[in-house]
Amino acid sequence: PFFVQSVEGSFRYTQDFRYFRQNFSLLVVNTTVPAGEQTTFTYDFTPSEIFDPQDVGFVINVYYVDDDGTDYRDAVFNDTAAIGDSNVEVDVVGSVLYVGAIVVGVYLAYQHAFGKETKIISKPSRELGTKKADSEWLTDMQKTRQRKNVK
């Protein structure tokens, strides 16, 4: 029997598999596989969006231990893989944004064309001043002029 500890994957340069282009996360499985049997593990990964359609080295390693406690690492897949464009013909997020923009545009056009005009009419305000002026700051000359005007 073997004790499978983990599975990891990576994209490598096709010219030299020693150099990584993208390293994927380590999947810890901690599963014992009985002698003479096989098992399958699902290893999910997502390539980076920066990859153009091209060939890359694709490596999947499995780390396991035997009955004697010896650690092993085997490349269960080590080959060139082609990264291609997605076959999805409709971009859902883009479509939702376009439809939303059209709805907002139609709404604004409708409000502009058929919306009620509201005019705000306000009476012009007239400054009346204060009833009692604080005249401490006025000079004596100004005080006398003010008294003459009040009479």
Side-chain angles (χ1 to χ4, degrees):
F2 291 100
F3 180 71
V4 180
Q5 297 171 324
S6 58
V7 178
E8 71 172 352
S10 61
F11 283 155
R12 315 274 180 113
Y13 284 99
T14 54
Q15 294 82 7
D16 191 350
F17 271 52
R18 293 178 296 172
Y19 296 103
F20 292 86
R21 296 197 65 192
Q22 182 180 0
N23 200 14
F24 301 115
S25 61
L26 185 76
L27 173 67
V28 178
V29 291
N30 291 336
T31 302
T32 300
V33 179
E37 292 189 22
Q38 297 180 2
T39 189
T40 302
F41 301 106
T42 302
Y43 182 70
D44 294 326
F45 63 92
T46 303
S48 174
E49 293 180 8
I50 64 169
F51 283 116
D52 292 327
Q54 60 184 314
D55 290 341
V56 294
F58 184 40
V59 177
I60 297 180
N61 291 319
V62 175
Y63 295 88
Y64 59 95
V65 179
D66 65 4
D67 278 346
D68 298 330
T70 307
D71 291 324
Y72 294 95
R73 179 190 73 184
D74 276 337
V76 294
F77 188 86
N78 187 1
D79 203 355
T80 302
I83 296 179
D85 283 330
S86 175
N87 291 335
V88 177
E89 294 181 19
V90 177
D91 180 18
V92 176
V93 174
S95 300
V96 169
L97 289 175
Y98 289 132
V99 169
I102 290 170
V103 168
V104 169
V106 168
Y107 174 76
L108 292 175
Y110 177 81
Q111 288 297 322
H112 180 70
F114 301 110
K116 293 181 181 178
E117 288 188 32
T118 56
K119 293 182 181 179
I120 300 174
I121 301 173
S122 63
K123 294 180 182 179
S125 63
R126 186 171 163 198
E127 183 66 35
L128 299 175
T130 57
K131 301 286 182 186
K132 292 183 178 179
D134 183 17
S135 59
E136 289 180 17
W137 59 274
L138 297 174
T139 63
D140 290 332
M141 178 72 105
Q142 290 171 332
K143 287 181 185 179
T144 56
R145 283 185 195 162
Q146 185 178 17
R147 286 187 202 133
K148 289 179 185 177
N149 291 338
V150 171
K151 293 179 183 180

